[in-house]
Amino acid sequence: IKTQHGIVQAVRGVSFYLEEQETLAIVGESGSGKSISVKSIMGLLPKNGRITEGSIMFKGNDLAKFTEHQMQKVRGSDISMIFQDPMTSLNPTMTVGKQIMDVLNEHRYDMSREKKKERAIELLSLVGISSPEARFSQYPHQLSGGMRQRVVIAIALACDPQILIADEPTTALDVTIQAQILDLLRDLQKRIKTSIIM
């Protein structure tokens, strides 16, 4: 990462392998490079950040060499990410249903608008949100923190990704809700057969 004081090596010497339907936990103290490591997989480094060596192999391709256009096709469809704070992950001016449908619009050209709406409601139900048809038309501020995080998970799962990256998905939630979200991720992993990096 380029800074005013020169180049900072945010992450170095990191190596891991993720099997199909496996959960991999990356553990380290605050500032050790966990988030920047997983954001590099998604091609979501800050503007002043870049990968200078190493590779990120996925389905026989090195994601580290992908252009932004190529990464847009991978991001959200093959690999999805759940971010730390659901309030900053969701657009406050859009209904939660529209935000789920946006991911489908980006990657699922084969689906009609009606099918996309059906899929969005199905996803809200899948992540344990009651009255999903009614919630579809609500805005993020109308939902509790736990429900917002469930919506963020629904968005991440919209295109059945092979890898789900959960960057401290329970940080902003109270302890009871944290346990529910972790149980939900475990349950979803069995159902949709995805691999998870936490």
Side-chain angles (χ1 to χ4, degrees), residues 5-21:
H5 308 291
I7 302 283
V8 172
Q9 279 192 306
V11 179
R12 55 192 172 278
V14 172
S15 181
F16 55 80
Y17 188 85
L18 182 68
E19 294 277 1
E20 285 184 26
Q21 297 180 49

Side-chain angles (χ1 to χ4, degrees), residues 89-103 140 155:
S89 301
L90 296 170
N91 184 333
T93 66
M94 288 169 61
T95 63
V96 296
K98 170 92 170 71
Q99 293 185 62
I100 298 170
M101 284 180 69
D102 274 359
V103 179
I155 291 169

Side-chain angles (χ1 to χ4, degrees), residues 1 29 46 50 52 55 91-92 106 112 116 123 148 172 174:
I1 295 177
E29 64 221 27
R50 64 190 176 98
T52 55
S55 58
N91 184 333
E106 185 73 29
S112 67
K116 286 173 186 169
L123 284 159
R148 285 194 293 264
D174 70 52

Side-chain angles (χ1 to χ4, degrees), residues 62-81:
D62 185 358
L63 299 182
K65 293 189 170 78
F66 272 31
T67 63
E68 175 56 23
H69 180 69
Q70 288 173 306
M71 279 309 299
Q72 282 175 358
K73 290 178 182 172
V74 173
R75 218 183 281 133
S77 60
D78 294 319
I79 306 173
S80 278
M81 191 161 184

